[in-house]
Amino acid sequence: MTQSIAIIGGGIVGSTAAYYLSEFNKKDDLDITVFDHGVGQATKAAAGIISPWLSKRRNKSWYELAKDGATLLSSIAEKTNMSKDIYNQCGTIITRNKLEDISNLYDLAIERSNDTDTIGEIYKLTPDEVKRHIPIIDSNIPGLLVTGGARIKGDKYTDHLLKIAKNNGVSVVNKEITINEKANVVCDGEEIQFDKIILATGAWTKNVLAELPLEVDVRPQKGQLIELSINHINMSDEDMPVLMPEGESDFIPLGNGRLIVGASHENDKDFDLNPDSDVIDDLLNSATSLLPSLSAENLIRVKIGTRAYTSDFAPFFGEIPGYEKILVGSGLGSSGLTTGPLVGKILAEMATDNLSTDIDKYRKPIENYIKLIK
């Protein structure tokens, strides 16, 4: 008997879920449809850094999710032959003003390397060594190199996995949908029943579930980043490490003479997708503090997306209380490119009763974030 599965949202979670479901569908017993409206999607606007190992967040569940997410992402990239312009394990350099802080980060990295090989090698760098690795910057601060760190382009990642999924028989519908009071999908006024629904709508989760008696703890956060041309600098930047400088925005050299700087975190903008001049100025100032030859003339474009956050900044995923056929993953925040692939894989496994992982090590109770109103 064929099982019908809808995936709502084609971002980092939805595209990964679609990919894994298409891989599970060797017996053609799954009918999989992705509904992807795409407007404002955080993943499509994002170019991010995969380097969770030096985070000092106290949420141990989040760290386990991020650590294993980074490992899974590396595996997906290798298995699906992702090109370097999608995923590049180019290394991450974290800088600090004080040598003592670098030593503390080094100790933390060594400790956490005992739990994962994906972190790679770890090296303390002098200011001159930092500049040798990232010659475009003009900075005199020490750093720490983690060779397992990577950069990823969210839009190209989703396109890559959805292309594989479509080749494996997954349907993609580029339309906005709602979920009605019967917990069925409504598209263009037509009610469609599915055996399972994977809800991967990020910041829009509360809106999509508005007709159901649920209390949902998700809020939107605006993120803006800038893409700059660095063609005036005559050097190869394809495999240059990404930079996480203290007190400044992240630097992500993309190759082909392009540099991403960002992203911002704004909690009071709702779903606004218009660029803010003051934010763009701050990002440019951050860029010129490390690369003085840049100016506003190097600005190519501004990319804007809306992230999903919860009140305690923790992600949530699993079966929605009271609606066993709806699975949800949301609240990933600024670490979504790292944690999203693992959440998508887990939801695909749950939808097909194929779960082999103890997922409670990755999450707090889902009832903390989504509750049935009785």
Side-chain angles (χ1 to χ4, degrees), residues 129-296:
E129 289 171 330
V130 170
K131 284 189 279 190
R132 278 201 292 273
H133 281 284
I134 311 179
I136 61 174
I137 64 170
D138 182 11
S139 178
N140 193 37
I141 48 179
L144 189 75
L145 171 64
V146 177
T147 63
R151 68 169 185 255
I152 182 173
K153 289 203 72 176
D155 55 350
K156 292 190 174 183
Y157 173 93
T158 58
D159 290 346
H160 179 73
L161 290 195
L162 287 175
K163 181 179 179 180
I164 294 173
K166 285 192 286 186
N167 287 340
N168 289 338
V170 173
S171 300
V172 177
V173 178
N174 296 119
K175 293 182 178 181
E176 188 173 10
I177 65 91
T178 59
I179 293 180
N180 66 15
E181 70 281 356
K182 299 177 184 177
N184 291 326
V185 171
V186 178
C187 180
D188 283 344
E190 178 186 0
E191 181 179 27
I192 312 170
Q193 291 188 355
F194 289 91
D195 296 314
K196 292 286 185 179
I197 298 172
I198 294 177
L199 196 59
T201 48
W204 285 265
T205 300
K206 186 174 182 178
N207 304 52
V208 175
L209 294 172
E211 293 191 37
L212 299 179
L214 295 167
E215 181 180 324
V216 183
D217 178 16
V218 173
R219 70 172 188 268
Q221 184 188 72
K222 187 175 182 178
Q224 303 179 65
L225 53 78
I226 56 174
E227 183 174 337
L228 301 161
S229 169
I230 52 173
N231 283 323
H232 64 291
I233 302 174
N234 186 23
M235 63 183 63
S236 173
D237 55 351
E238 180 180 0
D239 294 317
M240 202 177 294
V242 294
L243 178 66
M244 303 172 72
E246 183 172 24
E248 300 292 346
S249 298
D250 295 335
F251 269 49
I252 308 174
L254 295 178
N256 299 316
R258 297 291 183 266
L259 173 71
I260 290 287
V261 179
S264 66
H265 298 74
E266 299 145 82
N267 294 325
D268 57 349
K269 301 293 185 176
D270 201 35
F271 292 95
D272 174 40
L273 295 175
N274 295 305
D276 295 297
S277 58
D278 55 339
V279 174
I280 306 310
D281 287 344
D282 285 344
L283 293 173
L284 278 169
N285 289 335
S286 187
T288 56
S289 70
L290 293 175
L291 212 173
S293 61
L294 288 175
S295 70

Side-chain angles (χ1 to χ4, degrees), residues 40-53:
Q41 185 188 102
T43 304
K44 291 189 183 299
I49 297 174
I50 309 301
S51 188
W53 308 286

Side-chain angles (χ1 to χ4, degrees), residues 71-92:
T71 299
L72 178 66
L73 188 49
S74 177
S75 174
I76 293 172
E78 181 178 1
K79 184 177 179 181
T80 65
N81 297 312
M82 282 187 185
S83 59
K84 283 187 175 181
D85 67 329
I86 303 174
Y87 174 90
N88 188 343
Q89 197 166 309
C90 53
T92 304

